[in-house]
Amino acid sequence: MNILALICARGGSKRLPGKNIKMLGGRPLIQWSIEAALSVPEITNILISTDDEDIANTARKCGISVPWLRPPELATDSASSVDVAIHALDYFEREHGELDGLILLQPTSPFRKPSSIKNAINIFCKQNKRPVVSVSKVKSHPMWCFEVNDNMMSPFIPGDGASTRYQDLPAAYSLNGLLYLISPARLRTEKSFIGDDCIPTICEDMIEAIDIDSEWDWQCAEKAVEFLSDRN
């Protein structure tokens, strides 16, 4: 099985400037994902897609190929991860031959365990290359959520879920951004990492599921590094 790990790291970040090379636990943020990918033998190649020379140089210092900088049209706030991934796929398969799978590892999930990557690839192989995504239990159950219009609340999901004890509600899960694994053919055809037959891999570890998007998330990540250091 020929699996490419793609790490997409755009230079621009309005909510947390420079986050992809911001130091976390003594390492640039992107290095956490690079090291996780390097420790998984099932991953045959790693490719960085970035528009930023500083990010590219950081990745190169980790021994990772950064053969080009992402074109400007794929480095905007509106550029989709699918378009970025297909651009990287087109380059890689043109230069190195066909892939069986592409696993997207976002650098904003620094606590991703190699075992989680291996488990996703194992599922992907056993299930005839169906898409695999990582999910976690939601912090706020959708049956406890409301819409607010004209100062009036109405249940987001009709019913009496708001009066039901949390432990009596059905388990609900959301995407956590940890990983997305799909075949190139499916990605190009469906233009999505999530198909109707997508298989979830459930992340039970709250620290592993941390996704950094804001200053608050960064503070949580720093506390997580301290916690993990003390535990070890």
Side-chain angles (χ1 to χ4, degrees), residues 27-68:
R27 287 174 281 175
L29 182 63
I30 193 173
Q31 187 173 335
W32 288 75
S33 293
I34 289 172
E35 290 178 354
L38 285 171
S39 65
V40 178
E42 291 84 355
I43 290 176
T44 51
N45 285 281
I46 303 170
L47 181 64
I48 306 295
S49 174
T50 184
D51 64 313
D52 186 276
E53 192 62 53
D54 290 334
I55 294 174
N57 287 333
T58 299
R60 291 180 184 121
K61 289 177 183 177
C62 297
I64 304 302
S65 170
V66 190
W68 33 256

Side-chain angles (χ1 to χ4, degrees), residues 1-8 33 37-38 40-49 64-68 84-106 117 121 124-125 129 179-184 187-188 193:
M1 191 68 71
N2 192 6
I3 304 290
L4 172 69
L6 177 63
I7 301 175
C8 298
S33 293
L38 285 171
V40 178
E42 291 84 355
I43 290 176
T44 51
N45 285 281
I46 303 170
L47 181 64
I48 306 295
S49 174
I64 304 302
S65 170
V66 190
W68 33 256
V84 171
I86 291 175
H87 172 263
L89 269 176
D90 289 344
Y91 159 80
F92 191 90
E93 291 194 322
R94 184 172 61 250
E95 296 293 322
H96 304 284
E98 290 186 4
L99 292 162
D100 295 299
L102 172 80
I103 185 165
L104 179 66
L105 303 177
Q106 300 182 126
I117 300 174
I121 293 174
F124 181 74
C125 295
K129 298 194 288 189
L179 60 85
Y180 300 83
L181 176 55
I182 193 169
S183 71
L187 185 62
R188 289 187 175 106
F193 284 98

